[in-house]
Amino acid sequence: MEDAATIGLWAMAVADFKANTWLFLSMPFTSGVIGYVTNVIAIKMMFYPLNFWGIKPPYLGWQGIIPRKAGKMASIACDTLVPRLITEREIFDRLDPNRVAAEIEKPILALVDQLMEQIMVEYEPTLWESLPQAMRNLIIKRIQDDAPDVVAEIMREIRNNIETVFDLKDMVVTTLIRDRTLINTIFQETGKQEFRFIGNSGFYFGFLFGIFQMIGWMFYKADWQLPFFGLIVGYATNWIALEMIFRPLHPKRIGPMMVHGLFFKRQKEISYDYARLIADQIVTPSNIIEAVLKGPYADRVFTMMAKHIKRTIDDQSGIAKPFVAWTVGTRRYIEMKETAVERIVAKLPETVRAIDAYAKEAMDLADTLAKRLEVLPAPEFEGMLRPAFKEDEWILIAVGAALGFLVGLGQVIVFTLFGNEPEVARTAMQTLASLVGLG
């Protein structure tokens, strides 16, 4: 009897398959598509939208995990970068103050000429006009002659006190929070192959699960079965893909295969991409200068520069200084120097772009970081990019599961509308009769 029941079950399954061949064959492909689509959506949700979209943050809506956690991610990455891989002192020690002064000389001279004229006309136009042209030119010329030495002197003082005037971590975090597309670019560029793998593997694993789903549906049908399988596919394909990217940390032999997390297998290539993006987009000479002048230690830098600029104005005004100080009053003269300092500092970020090419070559940041990143121990290498969004990975997996569940409900509807149950029953009885010798 048990044999007859088993044969009968197989007969009904075979008959069902014959009657609904295309519906059954569609199941692995549908499952593969579910795996692919849910994985791709999970990837997109990591990056987009850049800003919160919805009713009320943080729950009634969504913002890409990486843009939402830009500050935290940048901070975690910096904990590895500074001082493990590079320091503020190492960056500045590679810059020669005299070479910087030489590179910046032409724009600085033009700036001095422009500002001196502006300030004197603004504060005391009658006095400035009354000075002979030769004396005006002499004052400007003397300040211009000293400008390169002053720049070099300021550079030396900044370099000698770099830890008190420049915060590399603050600069990186500020830059990435200000431009969230930048942190998206870093992750998308460095992890492009891994993200492609997540999408493609979703289809392959989904197809495999779909075969088991198809076999199960042949022998047992319940309304909950297809949504349940859809949920499992959406969940498992995301989870497996993430695990295969980051685990195992070190090569491990499993039977004939050597298994290694894809992220670590490509450590050298990822290190190069990551270092290039950091050097080209974030820790650039312009960003460094701006951070020194406008960062958390800006007041110290301003005081340092003011001291040198005021002294230069005093020293080089020569015979005109007593006349100017007496005519406009000492307080007025001091105000003029203060204004000169403020405007020079305000114009410096734009002016010092002249040193970008030299500074980038001298710092050689991309090559330095790449070489140090590629030999970083696996846990530290993973720690640069994964931890900040790891706590929200469950959301991506849950979304995959939910989408899989919805597609499973759609499958139930399709099978109900297009299935051929009466035909299945009739074919199954004929098959059973022939198998047991009754037909």
Side-chain angles (χ1 to χ4, degrees):
M1 293 295 292
E2 288 183 7
D3 289 343
T6 302
I7 292 172
L9 187 63
W10 273 99
M12 290 193 68
V14 171
D16 192 6
F17 185 85
K18 287 180 179 178
N20 298 286
T21 302
W22 292 110
L23 286 178
F24 275 101
L25 291 180
S26 72
M27 296 177 81
F29 290 96
T30 302
S31 185
V33 170
I34 293 171
Y36 177 82
V37 170
T38 55
N39 283 15
V40 169
I41 289 175
I43 294 168
K44 295 295 182 185
M45 288 178 66
M46 288 173 63
F47 298 106
Y48 303 103
L50 286 175
N51 300 306
F52 181 83
W53 185 88
I55 301 171
K56 184 177 177 59
Y59 302 112
L60 298 179
W62 184 254
Q63 181 181 10
I65 290 175
I66 290 173
R68 174 158 52 88
K69 293 177 172 286
K72 184 175 182 179
M73 288 186 169
S75 180
I76 289 173
C78 280
D79 287 339
T80 301
L81 284 174
V82 186
R84 181 73 173 81
L85 301 179
I86 197 80
T87 65
E88 293 93 344
R89 178 158 297 282
E90 184 176 2
I91 290 173
F92 269 79
D93 278 350
R94 296 179 178 187
L95 299 176
D96 177 9
N98 293 324
R99 177 69 184 276
V100 170
E103 293 284 337
I104 207 175
E105 181 174 0
K106 188 177 289 186
I108 279 288
L109 296 184
L111 182 62
V112 168
D113 188 9
Q114 175 191 357
L115 290 182
M116 279 298 295
E117 187 78 27
Q118 283 180 1
I119 290 167
M120 288 304 296
V121 168
E122 181 180 330
Y123 274 83
E124 200 60 46
T126 304
L127 170 64
W128 187 246
E129 289 298 326
S130 68
L131 287 175
Q133 184 64 46
M135 186 174 289
R136 279 186 269 168
N137 291 342
L138 178 62
I139 295 171
I140 293 174
K141 179 70 166 55
R142 285 185 172 181
I143 295 174
Q144 286 179 330
D145 287 344
D146 254 17
D149 291 336
V150 173
V151 170
E153 198 173 341
I154 291 172
M155 273 298 299
R156 288 190 196 93
E157 192 166 348
I158 288 176
R159 191 169 69 171
N160 292 338
N161 299 278
I162 189 61
E163 287 85 3
T164 64
V165 297
F166 176 48
D167 186 336
L168 178 58
K169 181 175 179 177
D170 178 80
M171 187 200 79
V172 173
V173 173
T174 301
T175 302
L176 291 176
I177 291 176
R178 186 173 58 209
D179 185 1
R180 286 183 167 86
T181 58
L182 199 52
I183 196 165
N184 269 3
T185 300
I186 289 173
F187 278 87
Q188 287 168 338
E189 285 292 313
T190 55
K192 54 183 178 291
Q193 290 193 26
E194 284 69 30
F195 293 130
R196 194 180 302 125
F197 168 81
I198 289 176
N200 294 339
S201 67
F203 179 82
Y204 299 127
F205 289 125
F207 189 90
L208 181 62
F209 282 119
I211 293 174
F212 291 106
Q213 180 189 35
M214 179 184 70
I215 295 170
W217 186 255
M218 286 172 61
F219 292 98
Y220 179 76
K221 295 177 178 63
D223 290 343
W224 58 265
Q225 190 175 344
L226 293 177
F228 175 75
F229 261 97
L231 183 147
I232 294 298
V233 169
Y235 179 94
T237 53
N238 278 2
W239 182 82
I240 291 172
L242 286 169
E243 285 299 303
M244 289 184 70
I245 287 174
F246 293 108
R247 293 294 179 271
L249 288 174
H250 306 286
K252 181 181 292 186
R253 183 169 293 282
I254 300 178
M257 295 187 302
M258 186 66 74
V259 181
H260 193 197
L262 300 177
F263 187 69
F264 308 106
K265 192 183 292 186
R266 286 202 319 120
Q267 183 165 346
K268 186 172 183 177
E269 184 182 343
I270 290 172
S271 297
Y272 172 79
D273 290 339
Y274 186 81
R276 175 179 53 81
L277 287 165
I278 292 290
D280 290 348
Q281 304 286 339
I282 301 174
V283 190
T284 64
S286 296
N287 283 351
I288 290 173
I289 295 297
E290 185 174 347
V292 169
L293 297 175
K294 299 179 180 179
Y297 306 121
D299 288 344
R300 298 177 190 176
V301 178
F302 183 87
T303 302
M304 184 185 299
M305 297 181 75
K307 175 184 68 178
H308 291 285
I309 295 170
K310 289 175 184 177
R311 190 187 68 205
T312 303
I313 293 173
D314 282 341
D315 290 347
Q316 300 306 325
S317 293
I319 58 171
K321 179 193 169 186
F323 173 68
V324 172
W326 175 76
T327 306
V328 303
T330 303
R331 180 176 295 178
R332 188 79 164 156
Y333 180 70
I334 292 172
E335 286 178 7
M336 289 167 62
K337 287 194 294 183
E338 297 284 355
T339 301
V341 172
E342 289 175 5
R343 294 189 185 177
I344 286 174
V345 173
K347 289 278 187 179
L348 270 181
E350 177 185 341
T351 306
V352 297
R353 278 184 169 72
I355 70 166
D356 274 8
Y358 158 70
K360 188 172 183 179
E361 180 184 350
M363 291 188 299
D364 193 25
L365 197 62
D367 189 57
T368 300
L369 282 178
K371 287 178 179 175
R372 294 174 185 177
L373 277 168
E374 67 183 51
V375 296
L376 206 63
E380 292 182 42
F381 189 67
E382 179 187 15
M384 278 197 339
L385 298 177
R386 193 183 186 193
F389 65 90
K390 190 179 192 312
E391 61 195 62
D392 283 346
E393 282 178 6
W394 70 270
I395 298 177
L396 305 179
I397 295 172
V399 168
L403 290 172
F405 182 82
L406 292 175
V407 175
L409 287 177
Q411 283 182 297
V412 171
I413 294 171
V414 170
F415 273 52
T416 301
L417 292 175
F418 299 101
N420 196 354
E421 297 298 336
E423 179 71 22
V424 170
R426 188 163 48 251
T427 306
M429 291 302 296
Q430 293 172 352
T431 303
L432 176 62
S434 63
L435 287 172
V436 295
L438 299 176

